[in-house]
Amino acid sequence: MMENAKAFIAKRVAKELKDGYVVNLGIGLPTLVPNYLPEDVEVILQSENGFVGLGGAPDPDKVDMHVTDAGGTPTTIKAGGAFFDSAASFCLIRGGHVDVTILGAMQVDEKGDIANYKIPGKMVAGMGGAMDLLVGAKEVIVAMEHTNKGKHKILEKCTLPLTAKGENGTHIVDMIITEMGVMKVTDDGLVLTEYNPEFTLDQIQEATGAKLIIAEDLKEMEA
């Protein structure tokens, strides 16, 4: 396993965000992404529990448990931010006003379908707003470690209950970013556009449960 994989992934994801984007972050690894935004890029962070304008983590002596992200982690709100009820929050999401959502996943398949809320027989946090975000955001980026204890997370077809599924040729997930590489979901399958030179292409394919298409302009992944 790559050391500091989560930070490496978050740094690479941050490069996908453009100035002025409205961005929703899933719990866990995605919450690290704002730490690595370029200085000339400012995004508006939207939290599904009811506010826009999330700031960074609060100082230990200034924690306000009334101000938390969707995962219940204490956060702050920037000047100009706003609080509102869940109905308004999901109107933003369902109305297509979120430019990018960055989510983790238990499984993603070559068609861009995603499973990220339930493992039969185990207690997990639940779906939350993931279903709405996956179909409401303009772009969906999955940020996750490539495997789980050596088991494939990127598959030909998800085996866990789906959070969202594409229909009529549409793809739910647009891009997958892991510590091994960057993959884009296309009509032909998963295209590896960038690879981490710490791994060989054979190692990346072996860690992937679906056939990877190697981009003609494949380049090294930089965080």
Side-chain angles (χ1 to χ4, degrees):
M1 181 180 294
M2 178 184 175
E3 188 175 353
N4 298 322
K6 290 183 179 180
F8 181 82
I9 297 165
K11 287 179 183 179
R12 177 57 188 81
V13 173
K15 294 184 176 182
E16 294 298 317
L17 303 183
K18 304 295 189 296
D19 194 51
Y21 269 14
V22 176
V23 180
N24 181 284
L25 303 176
I27 62 175
L29 192 160
T31 62
L32 301 176
V33 173
N35 297 334
Y36 302 106
L37 283 173
E39 291 184 2
D40 60 342
V41 173
E42 184 171 350
V43 300
I44 300 169
L45 297 179
Q46 185 265 353
S47 189
E48 66 199 67
N49 56 322
F51 65 111
V52 291
L54 278 75
D59 294 332
D61 60 341
K62 295 183 179 179
V63 172
D64 182 349
M65 290 309 298
H66 292 95
V67 184
T68 69
D69 62 25
T73 302
T75 187
T76 57
I77 186 167
K78 293 182 177 180
F83 296 97
F84 34 79
D85 60 26
S86 289
S89 184
F90 279 87
C91 280
L92 284 174
I93 295 168
R94 295 170 183 171
H97 303 291
V98 174
D99 293 296
V100 181
T101 186
I102 303 165
L103 300 173
M106 297 170 184
Q107 294 179 343
V108 184
D109 66 30
E110 63 184 10
K111 295 184 181 297
D113 296 342
I114 179 172
N116 77 339
Y117 84 102
K118 182 178 181 180
I119 299 176
K122 293 187 178 182
M123 292 293 293
V124 291
M127 187 178 291
M131 179 173 62
D132 300 87
L133 287 161
L134 287 165
V135 298
K138 296 174 185 175
E139 182 179 1
V140 175
I141 299 174
V142 167
M144 67 178 189
E145 293 183 82
H146 206 97
T147 61
N148 179 21
K149 298 178 180 178
K151 294 183 179 179
H152 292 153
K153 296 176 67 176
I154 303 172
L155 306 168
E156 290 183 359
K157 186 175 180 63
C158 292
T159 59
L160 294 174
L162 294 177
T163 311
K165 176 180 175 61
E167 294 183 352
N168 301 320
T170 62
H171 309 298
I172 294 296
V173 174
D174 297 290
M175 180 181 293
I176 306 166
I177 299 178
T178 76
E179 76 279 14
M180 287 188 162
V182 177
M183 288 139 281
K184 292 186 177 180
V185 179
T186 74
D187 292 340
D188 296 321
L190 295 175
V191 178
L192 183 70
T193 59
E194 298 178 27
Y195 76 101
N196 184 342
E198 289 193 22
F199 304 94
T200 66
L201 293 182
D202 287 341
Q203 287 175 322
I204 297 171
Q205 180 60 77
E206 185 178 351
T208 308
K211 179 65 177 176
L212 292 173
I213 302 167
I214 309 302
E216 292 183 2
D217 57 348
L218 178 70
K219 61 183 181 179
E220 291 188 0
M221 183 181 181
E222 296 181 0

